[in-house]
Amino acid sequence: MPFFAPGDDPGASFLELLRRTGSEPFAGFAQVPSAEGGFGALESSHATTVLAVRSSDGVVVAGDRRATSGNLISHRDMRKVFPADSYSAVAIAGAAGPAVQMVRLFQLQLEYYEKIEGKPLSLEGKANQLAEMLRAHLPQAMRGLPVVPIFAGFDPADRRGRLFQYDVTGGRYEEQDYATAGSGSLHAGTVLKLGFRDDLSEPDALALSVQALWHAADEDSATGGPDPVRGIYPVLAAISSEGFRQLSDTESGEVFASLQADLSGGGSSGGGSGGAARSGSVGGDPDSAGGSRSEVSP
Amino acid sequence: MSMPGMYVSPEQLMQDRADYARKGIARGRSLVTLEYGDGIALVAENASATLRKVSEIYDRIAFGGVGRYIEFDQLRIAGVRHAELKGYQYSRSDVEARSLANQYAQMLGQFFTHELKPLEVEIVVVEVGIGDEANQLYRIQYDGTVMDEEAYCCIGGDADAVRERVAEGYDPELDADAAIRLARAALAGPEREIAAPDLEVALLESNVEDAAHRRRCFRRLDDAEVEVALGDSAERPDEV
């Protein structure tokens, strides 16, 4: 049982506790020599389009289910949207292995803090914790294993939804309306940019998210669309003053069905407005669809 | 720690330490843990709203401590750390109260025999069973003695008297509110009343509707919820 002298106590940080008890949480790849062209050359799994949209009730978070290794699909039902705690969610893009591990550590850290201190971290504090983890992960990102999360939650102090975008260096950027990450983020971001209104209700925000994911999947080979044959649909979650709620596959399927009805009614619009650069995009090159892809698979 | 030129028999040494620890524990108020129909209730007499005697350790495990606050709070934190590290290294289902109770016993035993002064605390570690699993209640004393209790368990200065009063009114089919009322009556005794703000109440609930989404069974009741559970709120004029 871990017991520390006063002054030597790791406090409410679970990462620090792990270090003190001999397991460095981010040491996994630090000793591995860099492969030619980084780990990207080893074709590790890369996760793809995730997004968050502010609604009048809080915030909506969504993500597709496809994971790819090079040009192969490695998982069809991968989960990229997770509850961080009862009032927040984290969505991930980038290298799947380290990303999932980071989410796990993040969830543990939030719960651990709450138990040690007797009250939860503020939403801002949670967002900063995730930034700190990304900074610790930077050596791995430099070796070709980037993790780019989105963090979103209901802030009980402000009584509203808030969302945060990150870069691989641990840069933390609060967005007011929506945030996207992953190889399909350019297309998803464009749809969100055009469809966002200040007073979106939760169902409207969910419908807009689904539309954005659909267009991202339509243009980006590394983003998976709805799969009614297998009953696999993108993960949709809504966070409000009531807390985190993930929609069941049936509910997600219904949101997609209404989108499908709209799309087939209005003809195939394609939605490939790739020329519109999204403000705050990490991808940069608005002229080539391939430009945004380099965000996650260098 | 023996001083040169003086001899104290081991019996005397241990006796002195035990007396010292018991005196420290007897100064504090007691804590009752009891199983009810759908879980386990932990009820402590505690005038402070922030310095807690009852806390969450892990998904289905709770902790209660009496005696010196700083000492049992250190034990609580050590327990959270033990549980979280174990759950991280293995799986959440591998974290259980029995192993935690043994760890606490070792630590308290170590303090009792090897440190200058024993810890002046008594603690309970309880785990709620889901489905067919039985609940687990462990009581651990200042010297590391572990007791595996059934149905209810009382710790603190007045533990024996409180235990008798719980035994008189106990029924395993009690609902949560009745369990809290019984605990209050047992803690107070026949000669005084304990008001809701002076009670600290938490439940480990086994009947959470959606276990997959609510794995954390621990729920702390705030003052208003305690008043409702005790049936005191009807007496408040502003609520009528």
Side-chain angles (χ1 to χ4, degrees):
Chain A
M1 186 171 272
F3 214 72
F4 300 91
D8 189 40
D9 196 285
S13 164
F14 187 64
L15 298 182
E16 191 55 33
L17 176 68
L18 283 175
R19 288 185 190 113
R20 296 294 182 82
T21 51
S23 58
E24 166 60 44
F26 295 100
F29 302 92
Q31 306 304 320
V32 181
S34 173
E36 193 66 41
F39 273 95
L42 299 179
E43 297 193 347
S44 57
S45 270
H46 280 67
T48 27
T49 305
V50 290
L51 57 89
V53 185
R54 185 169 57 80
S55 77
S56 53
D57 298 322
V59 62
V60 161
V61 187
D64 78 304
R65 306 287 290 269
R66 177 173 293 177
T68 52
S69 298
N71 56 357
L72 295 179
I73 294 172
S74 47
H75 296 284
R76 289 190 176 80
D77 60 350
M78 195 183 149
R79 193 186 157 100
K80 303 168 193 174
V81 176
F82 302 86
D85 65 2
S86 337
Y87 287 96
S88 62
V90 58
I92 46 167
V100 170
Q101 168 70 357
M102 189 179 292
V103 168
R104 186 172 175 228
L105 284 168
F106 185 52
Q107 291 169 323
L108 284 170
Q109 169 60 44
L110 299 190
E111 189 174 321
Y112 179 74
Y113 181 98
E114 184 186 330
K115 284 193 273 201
I116 297 288
E117 295 289 322
K119 66 174 206 166
L121 266 170
S122 63
L123 195 77
E124 187 113 6
K126 293 173 195 171
N128 287 337
Q129 282 282 301
L130 190 56
E132 196 183 308
M133 287 186 185
L134 280 164
R135 270 193 294 279
H137 178 77
L138 184 60
Q140 285 187 59
M142 298 295 283
R143 284 159 192 270
L145 293 172
V147 176
V148 185
I150 293 173
F151 176 68
F154 183 81
D155 191 338
D158 280 10
R159 307 296 303 165
R160 67 183 172 104
R162 294 174 68 184
L163 37 108
F164 299 86
Q165 204 160 339
Y166 295 85
D167 63 28
V168 289
T169 64
R172 192 210 82 174
Y173 314 99
E174 179 161 11
E175 298 289 336
Q176 292 308 313
D177 302 334
Y178 60 88
T180 59
S183 57
S185 60
L186 182 65
H187 303 290
T190 306
V191 175
L192 295 178
K193 180 183 179 182
L194 295 174
F196 185 81
R197 296 189 320 275
D198 207 33
D199 55 348
L200 277 182
S201 69
E202 192 173 286
D204 288 347
L206 285 167
L208 180 62
S209 305
V210 157
Q211 199 185 356
L213 280 178
W214 191 88
H215 285 295
D218 205 29
E219 299 295 332
D220 172 36
S221 64
T223 298
D227 185 348
V229 176
R230 296 186 183 84
I232 299 172
Y233 293 95
V235 174
L236 300 174
I239 306 158
S240 64
S241 57
E242 307 278 294
F244 176 96
R245 183 177 78 92
Q246 187 186 321
L247 276 69
S248 68
D249 273 345
T250 321
E251 287 174 290
S252 302
E254 282 163 13
V255 185
F256 269 96
S258 56
L259 169 73
Q260 198 179 357
D262 289 354
L263 288 171
S264 50
S268 60
S269 62
S273 49
R278 187 173 60 78
S279 63
S281 165
V282 198
D285 183 1
D287 289 321
S288 76
S292 61
R293 166 105 205 211
S294 66
E295 275 171 43
V296 291
S297 45
Chain B
M1 61 158 281
S2 62
M3 291 180 191
M6 272 173 64
Y7 175 76
V8 182
S9 74
E11 288 86 353
Q12 187 59 49
L13 191 65
M14 292 303 152
Q15 185 61 47
D16 288 352
R17 286 187 184 176
D19 288 345
Y20 180 83
R22 277 199 215 101
K23 262 187 221 158
I25 295 163
R27 276 195 286 269
R29 303 289 190 189
S30 304
L31 181 150
V32 173
T33 307
L34 66 166
E35 295 179 45
Y36 64 91
D38 294 317
I40 304 174
L42 295 103
V43 184
E45 184 176 2
N46 186 354
S48 168
T50 48
L51 305 178
R52 284 156 178 172
K53 293 181 169 181
V54 175
S55 311
E56 175 186 20
I57 294 275
Y58 210 61
D59 298 354
R60 287 154 54 180
I61 304 175
F63 172 97
V66 294
R68 281 194 73 179
Y69 170 76
I70 185 64
E71 291 180 351
F72 68 72
D73 197 55
Q74 267 189 314
L75 291 174
R76 170 187 76 85
I77 289 172
V80 171
R81 287 178 173 156
H82 170 82
E84 290 286 357
L85 284 171
K86 198 170 175 191
Y88 173 72
Q89 278 159 347
Y90 304 104
S91 135
R92 297 198 82 88
S93 59
D94 294 315
V95 179
E96 47 163 5
R98 188 184 52 84
S99 123
L100 190 62
N102 285 331
Q103 292 279 326
Y104 275 132
Q106 275 189 18
M107 199 183 224
L108 283 161
Q110 182 80 9
F111 266 99
F112 186 73
T113 42
H114 295 286
E115 297 293 324
L116 191 62
K117 130 185 158 41
L119 297 185
E120 297 156 73
V121 298
E122 200 170 359
I123 60 176
V124 287
V125 177
V126 296
E127 176 173 347
V128 68
I130 305 289
D132 296 337
E133 295 169 347
N135 296 328
Q136 297 178 48
L137 278 69
Y138 299 100
R139 170 185 181 185
I140 305 136
Q141 287 187 317
Y142 55 85
D143 60 352
T145 309
V146 192
M147 279 165 282
D148 181 1
E149 305 264 358
E150 278 192 15
Y152 49 83
C153 166
C154 307
I155 55 174
D158 207 17
D160 290 337
V162 174
R163 158 181 279 274
E164 277 174 27
R165 291 194 284 265
V166 173
E168 278 170 29
Y170 186 72
D171 174 353
E173 297 305 316
L174 290 174
D175 65 17
D177 291 355
I180 295 167
R181 284 196 295 273
L182 172 62
R184 171 170 73 163
L187 286 168
E191 274 137 40
R192 60 192 189 108
E193 280 281 317
I194 304 176
D198 291 336
L199 274 188
E200 184 183 350
V201 180
L203 302 176
L204 277 176
E205 298 170 309
S206 65
N207 62 337
V208 282
E209 290 137 34
D210 187 354
H213 285 95
R214 227 190 116 190
R215 62 179 163 76
R216 293 167 77 177
C217 300
F218 183 90
R219 185 162 71 88
R220 186 183 296 285
L221 273 60
D222 62 28
D223 282 352
E225 289 173 304
V226 173
E227 272 185 31
V228 171
L230 292 170
D232 287 0
S233 54
E235 295 160 20
R236 287 158 54 104
D238 56 341
E239 304 231 343
V240 178

